[in-house]
Amino acid sequence: MIRRVFEGSSALLSQLETLGVADEPESLARALTTADKSCLVALLQAATSLSRIVDGITARVAGEIGYRSSRDTVDPLAKQYGERSGTALVASVGRLPQPAAASLGKVGMGIRARSSLTGEELPSLHPLLGDAVDEGRIPLASARLALVCLDRAERHLSVEKLAALEANLVEKAEAYPISEFSTFSQHAADLIDAEGIEPSEAMQREREGVRSFARPNGMMRTIIDTASENSGFIHAAIQGSMVPRPALVADGEFNDLAMADTRTLPQRRLDALMGVIRAGIAADDSRVAGVDTTMLVAVNLSDLQEGAGAAYILGIDEPISIATTLRLAATARIIPIGLDSKGEILFAGRGSRLFNRAQRRAMALRDGGCVVDGCTAPLSQVQAAHIRSWAAGGPTDLDNGLLLCAFHHRMFDLGGWEYMRQGDKRYLVPPADIDPLRRPRPIRNRRPNLQAILR
């Protein structure tokens, strides 16, 4: 531990010296204004690397304070300092908000060595996660998410499979940004602990509601809290109505830029939602004021047949139960997409040049948007592309299709990129003029499957 702190501190000091930072209070601010981009990025990497190591130490200390402050101890540590709990003591000493202190304590307790009833020290339940935190390889937020997933999985898995899950979570936490890892860990837990979905749904429904209040500037703010099934309707309605306005073209030339759509994304979302509401009111047949929207729901066919398991509404990370899926199928316009035991979408090939609606929906569920890593184009802005072109004899089926935004579609068709598949992993291979080594770029699966998690 001392060596890691020393190395991290040395790396940070080296970057500061490179920038010419001195001891004067304004020295760093002046140096940053003239630093080139590579120095800025190197300084950020050194600072965040050391920060993760320090965060790991802080979590370890918070976990120990929490352990020594538990009600089972004879003289709780927190009470010795006039605090009601270990979290309160950590928050007070560290000048932290209570939620941040609680998160530190939960991570620290989760990776702490255990004690037997006789006082004998036992190894941590999660040694791999503890090592990753100590070495600063993963942020504490990812460690907390991994612990939540492991806690849900513990009663369902053997010791060996739980260890495999822990290793997989650590690997993904190192590779994925926190937003993607949050989704991955949630889905992994849901696949293993499907029994916990229905109670979670009930809790969500209790917390649903709409709150509106007037702001000082005369506007009305409306806050909507929805459970997964209602979120699916809202998401489908907004995304389906928020198709980007096409560029206006006349005689092959772009029209005046003054005609361009200058709305912000929140404004476009509001316009889409209001359009749906107005259409629903206009179409009211005196039974219900609603709009015909379509939701895609992914469900394993065996789970649907057995009536137990998890299903996902496209665009909503929180799962729904099979019972909810069946209820929605009987009362709403949803399109279930059947998956096999490996999580693969069932074959739906056709002999036409253009992908049909069912195939595009299946690709939407599989790819979730443009498949190029880092591209954020949503489903409303992507195209169904042939991997092997139709002209070259490529079939119009799911195995020969993928979703790309217009820019990356052109890049794939005209830029010399290739598609490669090895087992259940998919890759895009760049041309030699972009990467002389032609290293494959992985296409990440949007949702994990149980076999991959426990491999």
Side-chain angles (χ1 to χ4, degrees):
M1 178 61 72
I2 297 296
R3 178 183 57 81
R4 284 193 289 269
V5 173
F6 178 77
E7 290 176 350
S9 301
S10 298
L12 181 58
L13 285 172
S14 175
Q15 292 300 325
L16 291 172
E17 290 173 354
T18 299
L19 288 176
V21 177
D23 290 333
E24 294 81 9
E26 300 298 324
S27 178
L28 176 60
R30 287 197 304 268
L32 291 177
T33 59
T34 59
D36 62 40
K37 61 182 182 182
S38 60
C39 288
L40 282 176
V41 172
L43 180 60
L44 178 62
Q45 289 175 331
T48 53
S49 178
L50 179 59
S51 177
R52 287 195 298 271
I53 294 173
V54 173
D55 284 347
I57 296 173
T58 308
R60 288 282 190 183
V61 174
E64 188 62 30
I65 289 175
Y67 177 77
R68 296 191 189 186
S69 299
S70 65
R71 296 177 181 177
D72 298 334
T73 56
V74 177
D75 188 14
L77 178 60
K79 290 187 176 181
Q80 296 178 35
Y81 287 86
E83 300 291 350
R84 67 184 183 279
S85 66
T87 296
L89 178 57
V90 172
S92 175
V93 174
R95 300 181 182 180
L96 300 170
Q98 286 279 338
S103 183
L104 283 169
K106 288 174 180 176
V107 172
M109 289 285 283
I111 61 177
R112 184 185 182 278
R114 299 167 295 153
S115 298
S116 68
L117 295 177
T118 60
E120 179 185 1
E121 184 174 310
L122 300 174
S124 167
L125 281 174
H126 309 302
L128 298 179
L129 189 62
D131 289 345
V133 170
D134 290 339
E135 294 168 8
R137 290 186 280 121
I138 64 174
L140 286 189
S142 295
R144 176 74 184 117
L145 292 169
L147 284 170
V148 171
C149 178
L150 290 166
D151 287 345
R152 286 184 60 185
E154 185 175 1
R155 64 192 179 94
H156 297 283
L157 301 179
S158 64
V159 174
E160 293 77 13
K161 288 189 175 181
L162 193 65
L165 174 61
E166 180 186 0
N168 195 285
L169 287 169
V170 170
E171 177 188 343
K172 296 298 187 294
E174 290 186 61
Y176 288 8
I178 184 66
S179 58
E180 290 190 30
F181 181 70
S182 176
T183 301
F184 180 90
S185 62
Q186 173 73 50
H187 291 169
D190 293 335
L191 284 170
I192 297 168
D193 182 30
E195 296 174 3
I197 295 176
E198 289 197 40
S200 176
E201 285 182 328
M203 182 180 66
Q204 285 184 359
R205 293 188 190 104
E206 290 177 359
R207 296 179 179 179
E208 280 189 309
V210 177
R211 292 172 288 159
S212 296
F213 55 91
R215 302 182 65 188
N217 60 5
M219 298 182 71
M220 180 68 70
R221 171 162 290 180
T222 301
I223 300 175
I224 306 175
D225 295 304
T226 59
S228 296
E229 57 181 290
N230 287 333
S231 298
F233 281 109
I234 294 174
H235 179 84
I238 291 179
Q239 288 298 108
S241 304
M242 202 178 67
V243 178
R245 183 179 298 172
L248 299 176
V249 180
D251 298 326
E253 297 293 331
F254 285 97
N255 277 351
D256 192 323
L257 289 179
M259 300 297 293
D261 187 346
T262 59
R263 294 175 301 167
T264 64
L265 181 58
Q267 290 170 337
R268 291 170 55 210
R269 285 173 175 163
L270 176 62
D271 287 346
L273 181 59
M274 292 309 300
V276 169
I277 292 173
R278 291 189 184 100
I281 294 174
D284 190 353
D285 58 3
S286 77
R287 292 179 298 175
V288 59
V291 177
D292 181 33
T293 58
T294 300
M295 287 194 296
L296 303 182
V297 178
V299 57
N300 189 296
L301 290 183
S302 62
D303 289 347
L304 193 61
Q305 292 165 352
E306 295 172 4
Y312 289 92
I313 298 171
L314 181 62
I316 306 300
D317 289 336
E318 192 73 13
I320 60 174
S321 62
I322 298 300
T324 296
T325 303
L326 294 172
R327 180 166 53 81
L328 287 174
T331 60
R333 289 206 173 207
I334 72 168
I335 298 178
I337 305 294
L339 308 177
D340 63 18
S341 61
K342 294 183 179 180
E344 295 287 342
I345 297 170
L346 299 178
F347 180 82
R350 290 291 293 264
S352 61
R353 183 178 67 84
L354 299 178
F355 291 95
N356 62 33
R357 178 175 294 183
Q359 290 171 316
R360 291 196 302 272
R361 285 169 173 162
M363 281 190 278
L365 184 66
R366 180 192 65 193
D367 297 338
C370 180
V371 301
V372 175
D373 191 20
C375 181
T376 60
L379 289 172
S380 59
Q381 298 177 11
V382 297
Q383 303 166 356
H386 284 80
I387 296 170
R388 185 185 179 196
S389 71
W390 172 266
T396 302
D397 60 41
L398 292 182
D399 287 338
N400 192 48
L402 71 166
L403 294 184
L404 295 167
C405 68
F407 171 76
H408 288 122
H409 194 170
R410 290 192 299 270
M411 178 194 78
F412 184 82
D413 284 349
L414 306 176
W417 286 70
E418 295 177 0
Y419 174 91
M420 181 176 75
R421 182 162 190 156
Q422 294 180 344
D424 60 349
K425 297 184 182 299
R426 302 183 297 160
Y427 302 88
L428 290 176
V429 183
D433 60 345
I434 293 179
D435 181 356
L437 298 180
R438 304 202 70 195
R439 288 166 292 194
R441 271 56 173 180
I443 296 174
R444 292 178 183 167
N445 291 324
R446 299 298 175 123
R447 304 192 189 281
N449 62 70
L450 192 57
Q451 287 80 358
I453 291 169
L454 302 179
R455 71 177 190 275

